[in-house]
Amino acid sequence: MKRRLIFFLMAVITFSLSLAAQGQNNPAFDRYFTDKTMRIDYYHAGHSQEETVAIDRVYQEGIWAGPRKNLLDPFMRGRYAVKIYDAATRELIYSRAFDSLFGEYKTTEEGLKGIRKVFHESALIPYPKNKIIFAFEVRDRQNNFHEIFAQKINPASVFIIREKPDPDVKVFEVLKNGPPQEKVDVVFVGEGYRQSEEAKFKADLNRFTAVFFSQEPYRSLKDKFNIYGVLKPSAESGCDEPSHGQFRNTALGASFDSFGSERYLLTEDNQNLRQIAGRVPYDAILIMINHQR
């Protein structure tokens, strides 16, 4: 798991820094978008041989933390891609490729057996000024993308959720080196910390940040990062360990034994995760769990 985390962080750094390094001035951004974030929540369902997508809800969130110049993904690496088209002209105005939890599920024993499962996922895009087409694509065995879902979204719709952030979520600004659009913004979401353990979360957050930047390449790139911590207190400490008969009432429902692996620790509660993390601008979410291992 440590290797997987390191690889993930390296991918985030390479991708985010390469986009930020190109600068932020782009007339196309001002033409099509505003300095806010649209979060598109959707359901991703199926198994190894079939998959479907359906939009759940659309949210208006805070400032746009991503790049403003490289609106089109220059790498397109990943099993899936989200593409945004201007509805009036059909011009491609934003794209990002990525991998997802459902993509991993497809490779599991259950997924290969054809057992259907549903995952909740999110796409973050700069908030559009006009109507858009949200398109979802999947890569085939020949390495080509194919569209499997598309739907028009009106940014002025009364059904877009514009609720204020959860007041029970506390924000800790650990490191701030500049505007979110120019930095790699990493948010650590606290999981399994009770109200009385806030001081422990802050200490864990500061300790890990220090360890993180004691290693290369992060040490040399420290000025390229913004680091935040966000915490919604849990009713109980820790997380679930089903194979050990332990279950905890926590903010995100994180659990060991994910996909049948005793050491694999995940949360499938994407909606709550996004609601909590959305208190700050972010490029990457990491979950810090209050557990012994």
Side-chain angles (χ1 to χ4, degrees), residues 2 10 17 20 43 54 73 76 83 85 96 101 106-107 126 138 162 170 189 194 198 210 226 238 254 263 271-272 278:
K2 186 179 292 184
M10 286 294 294
L17 287 180
Y43 293 107
D73 190 337
M76 294 302 288
K83 293 183 178 179
Y85 298 88
R96 283 295 177 270
L101 199 55
K106 289 170 62 174
T107 68
V138 59
R162 297 175 172 86
K170 291 191 175 182
V189 179
R194 293 175 297 163
E198 179 180 316
N226 291 329
R263 66 186 181 90
Q271 188 173 49
N272 265 335

Side-chain angles (χ1 to χ4, degrees), residues 48-288:
S48 64
Q49 300 301 316
E50 65 174 43
E51 50 192 305
T52 59
V53 170
I55 289 180
D56 174 23
R57 298 171 181 171
V58 179
Y59 295 80
Q60 177 184 301
E61 296 191 327
I63 64 172
W64 172 243
R68 301 185 180 213
K69 183 173 182 180
N70 290 292
L71 297 175
L72 301 183
D73 190 337
F75 305 114
M76 294 302 288
R77 294 170 182 157
R79 197 180 320 227
Y80 300 102
V82 163
K83 293 183 178 179
I84 304 299
Y85 298 88
D86 179 73
T89 65
R90 300 291 171 146
E91 179 183 353
L92 179 64
I93 58 176
Y94 183 85
S95 65
R96 283 295 177 270
F98 60 96
D99 262 305
S100 72
L101 199 55
F102 176 82
E104 186 169 357
Y105 172 71
K106 289 170 62 174
T107 68
T108 67
E109 182 178 355
E110 288 186 345
L112 293 171
K113 286 181 178 180
I115 299 174
R116 293 181 178 86
K117 190 170 181 178
V118 179
F119 290 86
H120 193 271
E121 300 173 356
S122 300
L124 269 60
I125 67 170
Y127 205 91
K129 291 182 176 180
N130 303 305
K131 293 178 182 179
I132 60 169
I133 296 173
F134 169 77
F136 190 94
E137 298 186 354
V138 59
R139 194 188 298 274
D140 61 21
R141 291 183 178 274
Q142 287 70 47
N143 215 31
N144 299 313
F145 279 111
H146 296 279
E147 183 179 293
I148 63 170
F149 175 83
Q151 183 169 316
K152 186 178 291 186
I153 297 176
N154 181 1
S157 170
V158 297
F159 297 108
I160 291 179
I161 299 172
R162 297 175 172 86
E163 295 175 355
K164 293 182 179 180
D166 187 340
D168 293 332
V169 178
K170 291 191 175 182
V171 175
F172 305 89
E173 193 173 279
V174 182
L175 180 68
K176 188 65 177 290
N177 281 311
Q181 304 94 324
E182 299 175 4
K183 305 298 176 180
V184 180
D185 299 280
V186 179
V187 57
F188 289 89
V189 179
E191 163 71 331
Y193 291 85
R194 293 175 297 163
Q195 186 77 54
S196 61
E197 295 176 300
E198 179 180 316
K200 184 178 187 303
F201 172 70
K202 291 171 65 176
D204 291 345
L205 182 62
N206 290 330
R207 177 171 54 86
F208 183 81
T209 300
V211 172
F212 182 67
F213 287 114
S214 71
Q215 308 296 318
E216 292 292 357
Y218 315 113
R219 179 167 53 198
S220 299
L221 296 172
K222 186 176 180 179
D223 64 331
K224 307 298 183 184
F225 283 84
N226 291 329
I227 305 290
Y228 306 92
V230 293
L231 176 65
K232 182 172 184 178
S234 295
E236 296 181 288
S237 299
C239 66
D240 294 347
E241 291 187 273
S243 60
H244 292 254
Q246 297 180 9
F247 297 89
R248 299 289 185 267
N249 182 359
T250 59
L252 295 176
S255 178
F256 283 99
D257 300 293
S258 297
F259 293 157
S261 173
E262 184 177 354
R263 66 186 181 90
Y264 201 175
L265 178 57
L266 296 173
T267 179
E268 294 184 21
D269 191 351
N270 175 71
Q271 188 173 49
N272 265 335
L273 175 63
R274 297 286 180 166
Q275 291 292 94
I276 295 171
R279 285 296 306 271
V280 298
Y282 63 85
D283 294 300
I285 302 174
L286 298 178
I287 304 174
M288 179 173 285

Side-chain angles (χ1 to χ4, degrees), residues 7-19:
F7 177 79
F8 168 74
L9 289 174
M10 286 294 294
V12 169
I13 291 171
T14 302
F15 181 74
S16 300
L17 287 180
S18 63
L19 296 183

